[in-house]
Amino acid sequence: MTSTRPNTRKIVKRQREDHGFFGPGSVTWRLWGYPTSLTVGFQRSVVIEELDPFLLAAVVGTDKVRYDPAGRYDNTIVYFATMALGDSRAAIEASEILVRVHSKATGIEPVSGKPYSANDPETQLWIHLTAWHSILYVYETFGPGRLSEEDEKQYWAECAIAAELQTCDPADVPRDREGIRRYFEEVRPRLCVTTETQDMMDHLLDAAILVQPRQLVLRPFTTVIGKVMRAATISTFPKWMQKMSGFNQSWVTRLAVRPLVKIAARLATPMPVKLRVLKLISPATLAVVRPALTGEEPINPVVITPAEARAKYGRLASPAELALQAV
């Protein structure tokens, strides 16, 4: 890849209308706003997702992750950042765009011979939970540490609220640590690894490809940081996942990389540093999350629900209903 990320998105600047679906003081804002979330946490989620053959088929079917990995990564990270930290209008609009884009990703999954759809509720639940679990896991591993029982309960309740922006049923979202463990145990039999899975996971583990700074002088540093992120991400895989995927890691590497990432996360915590890092990773994401991170007051400083937002903006159809209309 010889060029930098294409400018495919026109960013419209406007004052935030509200705090979105979570707001200041929420566990979601605390975790998704921490430096580990949109770095190691997000990379972990998009890599693990590929273990689902139906999700992999949808990704391979578009092939954007190959010919425009930075653009695809950028679009995905903007969506999740908007859902967690954006205002309600932006989140609802992003949800509708996602459903329309996913409606084109259909076909036959080659391993099972069964049809796949990126809007399938099971696939959407898998994407949603791998993301939210990864953000929590890396926060506890490389950040301040384990959440309290009360905060963890709130986090999964907020995860269910965010699920209303996708085609999955919010009632299927686990509400505690044991529930998410059971979910991954239940879904394990349908996961599989092919050569194509390994190639895609390996590709997504290369942060130097996914995030290309415009300044040539920064690219060697990006390569080094990318190698550390790769090691850090793999270090969070449970043993069964390392064995299944073939991305094994020695305990020496595991022990060496964790303190490095913890230190880096602390150094990136001050707001000026955090904003610079986000600008490097994804300028479009920075535009979405800066108001929430810096405490900018919206027009109406309230938190509302996705259902209230859809009614407010005249978008009465849920994502699941929109997906059916797009068939």
Side-chain angles (χ1 to χ4, degrees):
M1 183 177 298
T2 57
S3 62
T4 57
R5 172 184 310 137
N7 183 18
T8 58
R9 186 186 297 101
K10 182 180 179 181
I11 301 172
V12 179
K13 293 184 178 181
R14 61 173 175 80
Q15 186 176 358
R16 287 159 57 87
E17 299 193 20
D18 49 44
H19 285 310
F21 306 130
F22 309 110
S26 67
V27 182
T28 293
W29 274 32
R30 189 199 318 166
L31 268 63
W32 284 82
Y34 195 73
T36 56
S37 296
L38 299 183
T39 51
V40 179
F42 191 74
Q43 184 180 59
R44 182 184 193 272
S45 69
V46 297
V47 171
I48 288 176
E49 284 175 6
E50 309 307 321
L51 292 173
D52 184 332
F54 296 95
L55 183 279
L56 177 69
V59 171
V60 172
T62 62
D63 206 33
K64 187 172 183 178
V65 74
R66 290 291 187 188
Y67 70 77
D68 183 16
R72 194 251 183 184
Y73 191 82
D74 205 32
N75 289 337
T76 308
I77 201 171
V78 166
Y79 168 76
F80 276 105
T82 302
M83 168 273 302
L85 298 165
D87 68 3
S88 63
R89 181 188 290 275
I92 290 295
E93 290 175 351
S95 172
E96 292 181 345
I97 291 171
L98 188 70
V99 170
R100 288 197 292 269
V101 170
H102 282 169
S103 68
K104 302 173 184 177
T106 59
I108 301 299
E109 195 280 308
V111 175
S112 64
K114 296 179 180 179
Y116 71 82
S117 167
N119 275 328
D120 178 77
E122 284 191 12
T123 298
Q124 285 293 298
L125 183 64
W126 167 253
I127 293 170
H128 188 63
L129 292 183
T130 52
W132 279 72
H133 176 258
S134 291
I135 297 304
L136 171 61
Y137 192 88
V138 301
Y139 178 88
E140 294 187 331
T141 301
F142 304 115
R146 190 174 177 123
L147 293 183
S148 68
E149 186 176 339
E150 182 180 352
D151 282 350
E152 187 183 335
K153 184 177 180 180
Q154 182 183 340
Y155 182 74
W156 291 113
E158 291 168 356
C159 176
I161 292 172
E164 295 182 46
L165 299 179
Q166 296 179 245
T167 61
C168 51
D169 187 346
D172 292 333
V173 173
R175 299 310 173 96
D176 55 31
R177 194 178 301 265
E178 186 54 38
I180 196 70
R181 272 200 206 98
R182 284 198 304 271
Y183 170 78
F184 283 118
E185 284 299 319
E186 290 169 2
V187 83
R188 249 172 95 174
R190 89 162 188 246
L191 307 181
C192 72
V193 175
T194 63
T195 301
E196 195 162 42
T197 308
Q198 289 179 317
D199 287 346
M200 188 62 71
M201 292 178 74
D202 187 54
H203 187 67
L204 291 169
L205 280 165
D206 189 352
I209 290 178
L210 298 176
V211 181
Q212 291 201 15
R214 291 172 172 78
Q215 299 87 352
L216 290 174
V217 70
L218 292 177
R219 293 192 183 178
F221 296 98
T222 305
T223 301
V224 173
I225 293 170
K227 290 183 182 298
V228 174
M229 278 185 58
R230 177 189 178 95
T233 297
I234 294 173
S235 79
T236 66
F237 292 179
K239 289 183 178 179
W240 68 264
M241 191 177 291
Q242 287 192 18
K243 184 176 181 181
M244 172 185 277
S245 64
F247 292 98
N248 298 303
Q249 187 178 73
S250 70
W251 63 269
V252 175
T253 302
R254 183 187 182 96
L255 287 178
V257 73
R258 291 200 170 185
L260 286 175
V261 178
K262 284 184 178 182
I263 292 170
R266 290 194 190 99
L267 292 175
T269 300
M271 190 57 63
V273 180
K274 186 184 296 186
L275 296 178
R276 284 182 177 274
V277 171
L278 272 174
K279 185 175 182 179
L280 173 64
I281 294 172
S282 172
T285 302
L286 175 60
V288 170
V289 305
R290 183 199 291 269
L293 294 180
T294 59
E296 178 184 311
E297 278 293 291
I299 296 171
N300 189 13
V302 297
V303 173
I304 67 175
T305 68
E308 289 170 338
R310 284 197 295 270
K312 180 179 180 181
Y313 306 122
R315 269 68 178 263
L316 301 181
S318 69
E321 292 168 337
L322 288 175
L324 289 175
Q325 293 172 12
V327 173

